[in-house]
Amino acid sequence: MNNQVKNRRILIVDDNEAIHADIHSILEPPKENAELNSLTAALFDGVAPTSTDAIKYEIDSAFQGQEGFEMLRKSYAEGSPYALAIVDVRMPPGWDGIQTIQEMKKIDPYLQVAICTAYSDYSWQSMLDKFGINDWLLILKKPFDVVEVKQLACSLTEKWNLSKRVSMRTVELEQSVEDHALQLEIANAKLQEQVQSLADTNSHLSREMEARREADEQLRHIAFHDALTGLPNRVMLSERIGECIDRSKRQQSYHFSVLYCDLDNFKIVNDSLGHRVGDQLLVHIGERLRNALRTTLESIRAGYDMVSRLSGDEFVVLLDDVEGAEHALLIAERVREVVCQTVKIDQNELVPSISIGVAMSSGEYDDATEMLRDADTALYHAKDNGKCCVSMFDSNMRTQVTNRMNLESDLRRAIEEEQFVVYYQPIVSLLTGEIVSLEALVRWQHPVQGMLSPDAFISVAEETGMIDAIGEFVFREAVDQVGHWKSSLPEAEQLSVSINLSPRQLRNRRIIGVISESLKNSGFDPSALKIEVTESAMMTDLAMVRSIIEDISAMGVEFYLDDFGTGYSSLSILHTLPFSTIKLDRSFVSNLDKELESPTTIQAIVMLARNGGVKLVAEGIETYAQLCYLRELDCEYGQGYYFSKPKPKREIEELLRKGAKHLVQPEGAAAKSLPALAN
Ligand code: C2E
Ligand code: CA
Ligand code: CA
């Protein structure tokens, strides 16, 4: 705001015209009054907004309070307010100065006021009481002093302008503050939005993190647990065993043990009752193992021991902190007993049986694999000992395992290099001494160990599946050889050949093709081919075994039931499968002349055979006495060292030419020495 636009409007409200004239003359001085003006200017000492010389007042006059008020209101409304009102106190008959000023102040609160008063009008105190002490009112006492009026007009108009400016500035400031506040509010709102969206993102993120954490946990659970039983798996077990090994290395008095458990004959359950029942049985076993630990051990141990499932029907129990081998064996025995109690699944009552191999901690173990391997070796022994038992690992077992592994690899090479030969053992008519058949029995010409009998390798060949290759070799060889003898030796024209089939071979339909091909190619008479199978070979997969036997029988081939009397279900099998001949196990025969075997058992079997229309071959005849007993019991055929051990083909050829007739003819002393049969 500069001088030009400063408001210098003054309204004089006084009923005395002379006063108006006085003030006009004071505030609109002629040029000569310059000294007075410069004096006023000096009073401001150069900081005055302007010099009084330059001040041009606009002075209006009103002669009554209401009139003054109206003029002020109008000017204010028109935007040219008065800066100063000089108001007389007494203006009869209208408003007095006090009321006039009060009304005017309501219009323009910035209005500066000089109130003119003679001493007698109001007491100054009563005026102060009306307005209070304030910064906008001066009291101008009559008669005026010129300087006082000039000074007053200059100061008060200047003050109006300053107040106005301050007020405008304040408004500006307020506006600017408001603007800022608004902007702040907008910014704040935006910030809130961002905060909200951040919070949203955050909660989304934390939900996602939670989901990820859960997924991680699930993955971890899957990685360390078996899906079927929920038990820890091999990974977790190995970790725990590793920890125990570390501890046993640090702490000499600490021992722990690993029980490698395997269900006996689980395959039978799976095959005969289905996988669903098999799975349920595994879950039951898992629970029993866990419960067994809780009931058989001090409860405090339960937290440290661990039951895990490795695969199929293999479970491993980790016994933490045992006293020693005996303690571990004791627990293993109890575990075995708990598991072997009857369990009912659906309608089936099952009696599970479990074999357990135990390995004790020792300074030698460096990782879980080694210890599990030894426990597994002990388990293998437990199975070998007839199953359902507990076996503690010792280092001899390791040697046996090594031997077994060597045997496997040797056997594999033996198949490649055809190290097998077939020996033959005659089956003789006990009446005539005629050799009616030859049983083909395989031998292994081992490059280092010499000639090995089947007991040394058949079971391994069976377990590893190598029996198929060996069996096919024996089959071709025997059929060719016996076929050759039949056609070249008149003594051998009626000869037949017996070939053994193992349980595994009886479960693979491939054997049907092998036999029919071989018969076709060699022109061998199928009725001269006898196949020997044991009862135990028919314990499982009976349906499959039956269909294979029936298909082979249909070619005209006969079946012999081998090792009769050592199995379980002899009678039922005889009735349902097409066996032409029973081979009485040699245990019956060898006990005959030791009088351990009552001849009535054999008599009963002979009757059974006769009634069933099957022939009987007694195995293992070693003495003339045994031969005689058997003849008396009406047994038709026999086989054994008494007639001939199994022999290579060259020797058998000689035997065929010579015959065994002389062996069955009673010759003097021999016949007389025959003891009477006890009945
Ligand atoms: P197996 O079928 O019971 O064969 C008879 C076994 O009894 C033969 O043993 C034979 O040497 C033996 N033996 C015969 N007479 C007597 C005797 O008077 N006294 C005594 N103590 N033993 C006698 P080997 O040859 O050692 O065969 C053992 C088993 O190996 C056989 O028992 C048979 O189950 C199996 N086997 C042999 N060759 C084969 C084959 O080519 N394939 C299959 N799958 N198994 C075979
Ligand atoms: Ca046999
Ligand atoms: Ca036999």
Side-chain angles (χ1 to χ4, degrees), residues 417-597:
E417 297 178 3
E418 298 190 341
Q419 295 172 2
F420 299 100
V421 286
V422 177
Y423 276 29
Y424 300 91
Q425 187 181 32
I427 295 173
V428 175
S429 160
L430 299 187
L431 270 176
T432 63
E434 207 182 333
I435 297 174
V436 295
S437 185
L438 295 173
E439 179 173 6
L441 294 161
V442 70
R443 297 291 180 265
W444 176 8
Q445 182 69 64
H446 193 282
V448 179
Q449 297 173 43
M451 197 64 85
L452 296 180
S453 78
D455 293 339
F457 60 92
I458 282 285
S459 61
V460 176
E462 173 79 8
E463 278 169 37
T464 54
M466 289 190 263
I467 190 71
D468 289 329
I470 298 171
E472 282 174 31
F473 162 78
V474 172
F475 198 87
R476 279 196 309 273
E477 179 69 24
V479 166
D480 281 358
Q481 184 57 58
V482 176
H484 171 69
W485 284 325
K486 275 167 78 70
S487 57
S488 60
L489 298 176
E491 301 87 346
E493 228 182 310
Q494 297 302 311
L495 196 63
S496 53
V497 64
S498 270
I499 296 175
N500 294 284
L501 281 197
S502 75
R504 192 184 182 108
Q505 288 172 286
L506 268 182
R507 272 163 191 73
N508 190 344
R509 294 190 66 82
R510 186 185 145 82
I511 192 69
I512 301 169
V514 171
I515 293 174
S516 70
E517 280 293 296
S518 159
L519 290 176
K520 210 163 69 187
N521 294 342
S522 62
F524 195 90
D525 172 13
S527 68
L529 173 61
K530 324 289 174 185
I531 294 200
E532 297 191 7
V533 296
T534 60
E535 288 168 304
S536 55
M538 284 165 286
M539 290 277 290
T540 58
D541 298 328
L542 188 56
M544 167 69 98
V545 172
R546 183 193 301 279
S547 92
I548 290 179
I549 289 180
E550 282 170 355
D551 286 359
I552 297 173
S553 295
M555 298 178 209
V557 177
E558 278 181 26
F559 274 84
Y560 283 17
L561 186 56
D562 207 354
D563 300 347
F564 184 83
T566 56
Y568 313 92
S569 50
S570 340
L571 291 169
S572 59
I573 280 187
L574 256 185
H575 285 126
T576 57
L577 285 168
F579 288 106
S580 70
T581 304
I582 290 172
K583 290 186 84 174
L584 187 64
D585 190 72
R586 76 163 180 272
S587 56
F588 290 99
V589 177
S590 65
N591 289 335
L592 249 185
D593 57 351
K594 290 177 207 142
E595 293 186 9
L596 289 170
E597 183 67 62

